[in-house]
Amino acid sequence: MKKLNFLIVMDEIATINYKKDTSLAMAWAISERGHGLSYCKIDDLWLDRGELQIDAKPLAVYRNPEHFYELGEMATVPATAFDVILMRKDPPFDMKFLYALHLLDYAKRAGVWVVNDPQSVKDCNEKLFATQFSDLMSPTIVTNKQSHIRAFIQEHGDVIVKPLDGMGGMGIFRLTADSPNIGATLEMLTELGTLPIMAQKYIPAITEGDKRVLIVGGKPVDYCLARIPSTGETRGNLAAGGRGVAMPLSERERALAMAIAPTLLEKGLYFVGLDVIGGLITEINVTSPTCVREIDDQCGTQIAVDFIEFIENRLAVA
């Protein structure tokens, strides 16, 4: 097996959750398979006369919660010093994130494999991308107009509204035809009618969990993580207090994953988190999908290792 040089672009490593962080699992897999590993944040990416430079630090990782990483001395190296760059910066998808993707495009054009593909991450808003598969979704509209959303609420009776750039369940509201604060909620989310948001027919099966289905190299992982809302809560997101229970994929969930997998492969989206409620897609997460650690811990899988093996195999035949 050829030794590869990996760079992982992520948030400040000192702040990650040792028990849950998916990027750490990827770093373990890279290191334990004998590859080179370096680390940077998005503000360590910069251009010099049209070539991407990276202020990178060698990264060593350990399976010790008290001492799980060591960073070497920072050095400026060209992006072409790496075979693979993993873009693992967490949302929000703000202008800083967008600029980082533009910069990573320079690495891609120089022949470095950037995963997920930066152009496709720019193109595939995690809420809007799902609407390309609208037949697999709950009825959904995207608009900035209160009139359309109010009509949608009247038609379906029970609706979820959410921002297009939210994460971790932030900004998600459940509205029914008799909700007293429809106007105020929509004014806030649409910024007084200037910003489009998403409205989806409420799926009662959320009580059974908002299921994260991971798709690695175009293949669904055999287990998903059902993020079950806490009592009195609409959202299943772990960041919103949901409880994560791993379980085998249902036939329906596997079929959903296989239906979108060809599009993911075509777009260079090789590590993706599909959100499914009641057998219907709600979002397609392409920026920095998580839940690997929870599934691994409960099911004995090695999802990050499978991902790195996929990269090794692709580069071996390239």
Side-chain angles (χ1 to χ4, degrees), residues 28-256:
W28 284 334
I30 292 166
S31 178
E32 290 168 2
R33 294 183 67 77
H35 300 302
L37 178 60
S38 296
Y39 154 93
C40 79
K41 297 179 291 184
I42 60 172
D43 54 7
D44 295 319
L45 307 173
W46 59 286
L47 284 182
D48 183 3
R49 288 162 286 187
E51 296 185 358
L52 181 63
Q53 306 293 320
I54 301 167
D55 294 337
K57 296 179 179 179
L59 172 62
V61 288
Y62 310 99
R63 294 181 182 269
N64 177 354
E66 303 301 321
H67 180 71
F68 63 88
Y69 75 95
E70 287 181 2
L71 292 173
E73 291 295 319
M74 179 180 288
T76 298
V77 296
T80 51
F82 301 101
D83 300 294
V84 185
I85 296 178
L86 301 182
M87 176 50 162
R88 290 291 303 173
K89 171 74 176 72
D90 285 340
F93 195 107
D94 53 15
M95 291 308 297
K96 293 178 181 178
F97 198 115
L98 181 60
Y99 291 148
L101 293 174
H102 281 290
L103 292 175
L104 288 171
D105 269 331
Y106 285 81
K108 176 186 171 184
R109 288 196 291 271
V112 183
W113 193 11
V114 183
V115 184
N116 285 323
D117 184 278
Q119 182 62 52
S120 292
V121 175
K122 283 184 283 185
D123 290 343
C124 298
N125 173 276
E126 298 185 328
K127 310 292 192 299
L128 288 174
F129 184 30
T131 64
Q132 294 187 24
F133 307 91
S134 60
D135 57 320
L136 306 178
M137 300 180 70
S138 178
T140 299
I141 64 170
V142 176
T143 179
N144 61 310
K145 294 185 177 180
Q146 274 211 35
S147 58
H148 293 321
I149 301 172
R150 286 179 177 273
F152 188 76
I153 294 171
Q154 288 299 317
E155 177 184 0
H156 296 288
D158 200 346
V159 168
I160 293 293
V161 292
K162 54 187 174 182
L164 296 179
D165 62 350
M167 57 172 285
M170 291 188 298
I172 294 178
F173 293 87
R174 181 180 177 185
L175 299 174
T176 58
D178 58 356
S179 292
N181 293 313
I182 293 177
T185 302
L186 298 183
E187 286 172 5
M188 178 186 67
L189 289 178
T190 66
E191 297 183 6
L192 298 177
T194 64
L195 188 70
I197 65 171
M198 177 173 281
Q200 291 180 321
K201 181 181 178 182
Y202 176 72
I203 306 172
I206 181 61
T207 56
E208 302 166 12
D210 178 353
K211 296 183 180 180
R212 169 60 55 85
V213 177
L214 292 171
I215 305 174
V216 178
K219 296 181 180 180
V221 174
D222 289 335
Y223 301 88
C224 64
L225 190 74
R227 296 163 296 175
I228 300 170
S230 57
T231 303
E233 177 60 76
T234 299
R235 304 164 298 172
N237 308 74
L238 300 182
R243 176 171 54 93
V245 179
M247 57 185 64
L249 288 192
S250 68
E251 289 186 12
R252 169 66 176 177
E253 289 153 2
R254 187 177 298 276
L256 291 175

Side-chain angles (χ1 to χ4, degrees), residues 289-303:
T290 60
C291 298
V292 161
R293 302 286 299 285
E294 292 89 343
I295 297 173
D296 280 353
D297 288 346
Q298 296 180 43
C299 301
T301 49
Q302 292 185 304
I303 299 168

